[in-house]
Amino acid sequence: MKRLVDWVDARTDLRRAINVALFEPIPGGARWRHAWGSLLVFVFFLQVVTGFVLWTAYSPSTITAWESSYYLQKELGGGWLIRGLHHFSAQAFMVVLGLHIAQMIVFRAYRAPGEIGFWAALLLLPVGMALSVTGWMLPYDQNGFWAARVPLNLLAITPGVGASLRELALGGADASHLTLTRFLALHAGLLPATVLVLLVLHRRSRWRQIRRVSTGEIGRASYWPDQVLRNALLWVVLVVGLVGLVWTLGGAPLGAPADPSATYSAARPEWFFLFLYQFLKLFPGGTEVWGAVVIPGLVLTWLILAPFIGKTRGGQRANVIVLGLLAVGMLILTIFAWREDARDTQFQMAKAAAKAQSERILTLVDAAGGIPPAGALSLLQADPLTQGPRLFAQNCSGCHRYQGLNGLGQPVEEGASAPDLYQFAGRAWLTGLLTPSEVDSPHYFGGTAFAKGKMVRFVKRDVAEFNEEQAEQLRRVILAVSAEADLPWQKEIDAQDEAMIIAGRELIADETMQCVDCHKFHEHDYEPSAPDFTGYGSREWLTAFIQDPAHERFYGKRNDRMPQFGLEQWITPEAMGLIVDWLRGDYVPQPDRD
Amino acid sequence: MSVPKPSFNPTGRRPFLIRLGAALLGFLSLLIAPLAGLFVVTDPLRRSPSAGHRVKIGALALFGEKDPPRRVPILAARQNAWTRDKEARLGAVYIQRTGPDTVRALSVVCPHAGCYVDFDVEQDRYLCPCHHSYFGLQGQVVSDRSPSPRGLDELEVEIDGNSEIWVVFQQFRSGIKEKVPLG
């Protein structure tokens, strides 16, 4: 063994370098405060290792980025742990770096010959931020996509080159495959390489400085093992803390796949960026270049000059005071950002909606047995529970309501001019329709041309006078009509009440209830003047209705203002199907996780 | 050990040529790969800006004259680097009927930092959830505290013979006072 070491040493002179590095006595002895720099290197080491492992399973494109992140998080053994470690040690890097820079100022380590080391640490700040922003985008989930948009657009307001820089970063005017390939090349290639160079510069400079500073006492402590022991203890505390954090939180969050056309109002930057984000709010229209570029630039300039300021009389004190003010300012801005969000009900709603979306996509992937080649977004786009409310709000809520709202849970100012379609054709909905006090309320026909029509008249005049036996018959008729809809959520009770449903059908067909005076029901001879009861509320019936409500099977010439959505090609057949399935509750159910 | 005498005169013409040649050749050979790389990486900057997509929104009758603005997603064909999306989700617009035959279309993108604005039905104004800019129904900035440098960007609208609304969908640079289309 020794011969081998000798052989290598003779060709590389390694032994001398190692001796100098590890075994020379450190002036002033081993110190806890010397361990911070090594902690920075250690966190970078964690990042490189976990990042490399993530890289082995990540695929950068708009239809595979989220999908491979999902695979990493949910399928690959231990993938969630590695991803979580990468996520949280990235934050640790920024924290350790910030504290280290403050420490260098307070302990005067930035003074000659430490300037270059100090500057290297300063440069790590923007490089670390760039790593953060590129890192958010890579999983291509809603939060990352939207959170990365803001710094990219702020980059664009840098005078002169800003717009070109943004376009270069995105690989075009907007996010595409190229954005992800470029971000990955930056995030896993150029930026970490820059960090490595800066860390080496920083460590070399610090090294030189620690050796040069003579404090009088030359102890016997050397780097190995005295200083390394302190370093390693700090490393252990950090890594145990990080693993504990990942374990308790179940890893890093993964939201729903990015969708540039969907609403996303819950985007916020990482917590250590919040102060900058809050700071930007202080600058009204047209002046944000001050908040985003000029003032941060001035702070950075002061930091760069700090080693020289520190040499002047009172300079050190001034530096520490400015540093203190900065720290307090950052803290206050961060607290304000948190408090504002906590009080902002719209933001809290958006956050809850974002969480629901991220849970929904997991359910959909499970239900589909995996992600289709077109990507996870295609699952969300074909999901009635996700798209139904949006399409309803967009196309139907001008007249109809859903539980009194617009489908997305928002109120509508104008009164409804068409029925509320929540649980349309369900037993409760039909029972309400046949209740004299409700039939001409805005919930049913109140807002329509039928408010004074035959149906309303029948309910208000005849049904109001029903005796007990007739009321019981009406109940069976309601069950029978509702069963025509074949609603998924009514399947069980429909099966239970089969006898009553059959009885109801007979009551309709034998004209006891007068339904068939106007409505058609399966085979019947009369000329119908009201919507067909055959398959009432079923998928086929509803689709045909939206296709053309003025068809003679439905309202014919009596049709009020409802457009012929399908016939006029106002909405696509797919959109129609999504609305119908959503109204009928015909989709993969979303389990409650509360 | 004696130091060997330099075999040539360091101030002569030949050494100058050697230095020049070494520096020049070394520099040039180092330059080729980065320059070629730079050319590839800056390719997006040399693409001509698109004039915007003409996109069908839907029937005029779908938007009531008293209705608040409604957000409509924009689906259009788009070249996404090496894939061609026939129906890519490019973004969204707010559509509001302003008269019998007129419609206003506003981009949902906040001109401040590019977040999507929400419409607040109760207050009758647009609100950006990111940095709290407020915009009125015409898209104008309404609060002194709004950080947005300009109002919401209005998009060109056409109503064709079948009473269908078409919008020229375009995105604009954020963070500046002027409305400059993005490439």
Side-chain angles (χ1 to χ4, degrees):
Chain A
M1 187 63 199
K2 185 164 185 308
R3 277 184 60 198
L4 179 68
V5 174
D6 286 339
W7 187 85
V8 172
D9 189 51
R11 282 154 184 83
T12 55
D13 210 11
L14 263 182
R15 194 177 272 147
R16 202 170 59 115
I18 291 172
N19 273 336
V20 170
L22 294 182
F23 301 113
E24 262 189 18
I26 310 171
R31 289 283 171 86
W32 280 107
R33 64 175 144 101
H34 293 167
W36 273 104
S38 84
L39 194 61
L40 199 60
V41 178
F42 176 69
V43 181
F44 180 64
F45 165 81
L46 280 182
Q47 288 295 88
V48 169
V49 173
T50 52
F52 175 77
V53 175
L54 292 176
W55 199 359
T56 61
Y58 177 75
S59 168
S61 88
T62 57
I63 43 172
T64 57
W66 186 90
E67 289 70 9
S68 56
S69 303
Y70 167 86
Y71 186 73
L72 259 161
Q73 183 74 14
K74 299 282 174 190
E75 306 280 335
L76 272 185
W80 65 277
L81 186 66
I82 290 292
R83 198 172 156 255
L85 265 180
H86 194 73
H87 179 80
F88 289 108
S89 56
Q91 301 177 13
F93 186 81
M94 294 305 276
V95 173
V96 174
L97 178 62
L99 289 175
H100 191 48
I101 288 173
Q103 182 198 26
M104 290 183 81
I105 294 178
V106 173
F107 290 95
R108 302 165 195 234
Y110 59 22
R111 294 196 302 196
E115 301 98 328
I116 290 186
F118 180 70
W119 291 332
L122 285 185
L123 270 176
L124 280 172
L125 278 175
V127 177
M129 285 187 178
L131 273 164
S132 271
V133 174
T134 48
W136 296 340
M137 181 72 107
L138 290 181
Y140 212 56
D141 66 350
Q142 281 282 59
N143 197 52
F145 178 78
W146 293 99
R149 241 177 112 90
V150 173
L152 280 170
N153 284 321
L154 291 178
L155 184 69
I157 62 174
T158 313
V161 289
S164 302
L165 277 180
R166 176 184 177 276
E167 207 160 310
L168 274 182
L170 286 178
D174 231 325
S176 69
H177 295 322
L178 287 181
T179 312
L180 291 161
T181 52
R182 278 166 187 245
F183 274 36
L184 180 63
L186 289 174
H187 187 82
L190 191 62
L191 292 172
T194 313
V195 171
L196 187 67
V197 170
L198 290 173
L199 276 178
V200 167
L201 260 179
H202 174 71
R203 296 297 285 166
R204 280 211 68 91
S205 155
R206 286 283 293 143
W207 198 259
R208 183 99 185 82
Q209 189 182 29
I210 291 170
R211 304 268 155 194
R212 279 261 304 256
V213 172
S214 161
T215 52
E217 47 157 331
I218 301 267
R220 300 240 312 279
S222 55
Y223 203 81
W224 175 265
D226 307 84
Q227 184 64 43
V228 172
L229 177 68
R230 284 171 168 75
N231 296 352
L233 275 170
L234 221 54
W235 299 356
V236 167
V237 170
L238 185 88
V239 81
V240 167
L242 284 174
V243 170
L245 194 64
V246 174
W247 206 277
T248 35
L249 295 178
L254 181 66
D259 181 352
S261 74
T263 322
Y264 194 78
S265 307
R268 286 291 180 267
E270 292 284 9
W271 60 269
F272 54 82
F273 268 122
L274 275 179
F275 74 93
L276 259 181
Y277 153 82
Q278 185 71 13
F279 189 57
L280 273 181
K281 283 194 204 162
L282 301 177
F283 294 87
T287 59
E288 70 269 78
V289 73
W290 285 86
V293 183
V294 179
I295 293 178
L298 284 176
V299 171
L300 207 63
T301 312
W302 165 71
L303 280 168
I304 289 167
L305 295 178
F308 304 119
I309 298 170
K311 273 199 279 194
T312 60
R313 235 175 95 93
Q316 167 67 17
R317 179 170 295 176
N319 277 343
V320 173
I321 289 172
V322 176
L323 181 75
L325 288 177
L326 266 183
V328 171
M330 280 161 68
L331 193 69
I332 290 176
L333 284 170
T334 307
I335 291 171
F336 266 70
W338 262 325
R339 275 195 7 190
E340 264 183 40
D341 278 349
R343 286 181 189 160
D344 185 344
T345 45
Q346 268 182 330
F347 174 73
Q348 294 301 331
M349 270 170 63
K351 235 172 91 170
K355 190 162 173 280
Q357 279 289 291
S358 58
E359 282 166 6
R360 183 64 185 160
I361 184 63
L362 300 184
T363 307
L364 291 177
V365 171
D366 281 347
I371 301 169
L377 198 57
S378 68
L379 288 176
L380 275 177
Q381 282 165 4
D383 175 32
L385 183 59
T386 307
Q387 303 302 333
R390 293 179 193 167
L391 290 165
F392 184 88
Q394 196 181 314
N395 298 296
C396 318
S397 70
C399 306
H400 292 279
R401 297 288 175 275
Y402 189 83
Q403 280 186 297
L405 304 168
N406 73 343
L408 288 166
Q410 293 151 345
V412 185
E413 233 175 327
E414 301 290 309
S417 59
D420 194 305
L421 295 179
Y422 174 63
Q423 296 196 337
F424 171 73
R427 291 176 180 190
W429 190 90
L430 287 170
T431 308
L433 178 73
L434 287 156
T435 304
S437 59
E438 288 188 42
V439 64
D440 59 348
S441 74
H443 196 85
Y444 293 102
F445 289 129
T448 69
F450 309 117
K452 303 229 178 312
K454 278 194 203 164
M455 186 67 196
V456 171
R457 207 161 55 218
F458 166 72
V459 175
K460 289 197 101 74
R461 231 184 257 165
D462 300 28
V463 176
E465 306 283 305
F466 272 7
N467 61 31
E468 214 140 289
E469 195 202 334
Q470 284 173 306
E472 185 54 35
Q473 286 176 335
L474 183 64
R475 215 166 81 75
R476 279 157 211 228
V477 167
I478 289 172
L479 297 197
V481 174
S482 188
E484 291 288 309
D486 197 19
L487 293 168
W489 49 274
Q490 241 176 224
K491 248 194 175 80
E492 268 174 46
I493 49 172
D494 277 350
Q496 268 171 29
D497 298 337
E498 208 189 336
M500 289 215 276
I501 289 167
I502 292 170
R505 278 186 197 135
E506 279 160 15
L507 285 165
I508 300 172
D510 68 15
E511 299 171 37
T512 316
M513 274 294 138
Q514 307 172 37
C515 304
V516 286
D517 288 358
C518 305
H519 297 277
K520 185 174 181 239
F521 188 62
H522 295 280
E523 290 310 312
H524 206 274
D525 295 327
Y526 290 99
E527 190 80 349
S529 61
D532 190 354
F533 272 2
T534 317
Y536 184 85
S538 66
R539 189 176 203 279
E540 189 277 330
W541 188 95
L542 258 176
T543 312
F545 190 98
I546 299 173
Q547 169 82 15
D548 181 12
H551 190 275
E552 58 181 24
R553 179 179 166 195
F554 305 108
Y555 283 114
K557 284 181 209 144
R558 286 180 181 76
N559 181 37
D560 192 2
R561 285 150 292 175
M562 175 142 168
Q564 298 165 298
F565 280 95
L567 209 63
E568 303 272 351
Q569 297 189 328
W570 284 0
I571 54 176
T572 61
E574 293 80 34
M576 224 162 10
L578 287 166
I579 295 174
V580 167
D581 288 342
W582 175 63
L583 285 175
R584 290 172 35 79
D586 200 357
Y587 43 76
V588 181
Q590 181 63 31
D592 270 330
R593 293 189 192 201
D594 294 328
Chain B
M1 224 162 75
S2 66
V3 180
K5 243 180 122 188
S7 59
F8 59 86
N9 179 0
T11 55
R13 211 173 130 226
R14 204 169 76 100
F16 172 75
L17 281 178
I18 288 177
R19 283 182 204 154
L20 187 74
L24 218 58
L25 285 177
F27 185 68
L28 283 179
S29 51
L30 285 177
L31 214 57
I32 289 170
L35 278 183
L38 202 65
F39 185 75
V40 173
V41 172
T42 53
D43 173 80
L45 294 182
R46 291 189 298 276
R47 309 228 160 205
S48 54
S50 71
H53 304 259
R54 199 168 166 273
V55 182
K56 185 165 114 179
I57 298 295
L60 190 61
L62 280 181
F63 299 86
E65 281 190 42
K66 285 181 183 163
D67 287 356
R70 281 215 298 273
R71 185 202 293 253
V72 181
I74 295 291
L75 301 174
R78 172 212 186 195
Q79 191 66 35
N80 176 0
W82 53 88
T83 42
R84 176 84 183 158
D85 292 346
K86 275 194 196 133
E87 270 209 334
R89 299 169 89 79
L90 296 184
V93 292
Y94 273 104
I95 300 288
Q96 187 180 24
R97 185 87 172 262
T98 49
D101 315 298
T102 48
V103 159
R104 176 165 42 233
L106 294 174
S107 171
V108 297
V109 182
C110 177
H112 175 230
C115 302
Y116 281 14
V117 297
D118 294 319
F119 187 73
D120 185 346
V121 185
E122 280 157 35
Q123 308 266 350
D124 240 8
R125 61 183 184 184
Y126 296 93
L127 156 71
C128 177
C130 286
H131 302 94
H132 296 200
S133 289
Y134 296 94
F135 307 92
L137 283 175
Q138 285 91 42
Q140 80 280 19
V141 178
V142 288
S143 160
D144 294 342
R145 293 192 54 208
S146 298
S148 179
R150 64 172 191 269
L152 293 175
D153 298 309
E154 189 156 358
L155 301 169
E156 221 176 292
V157 179
E158 287 168 43
I159 308 224
D160 71 2
N162 294 328
S163 289
E164 276 167 347
I165 307 170
W166 291 75
V167 163
V168 180
F169 179 70
Q170 234 175 343
Q171 312 234 37
F172 301 90
R173 271 181 62 186
S174 51
I176 53 174
K177 280 208 151 72
E178 304 77 31
K179 187 175 156 191
V180 181
L182 269 176

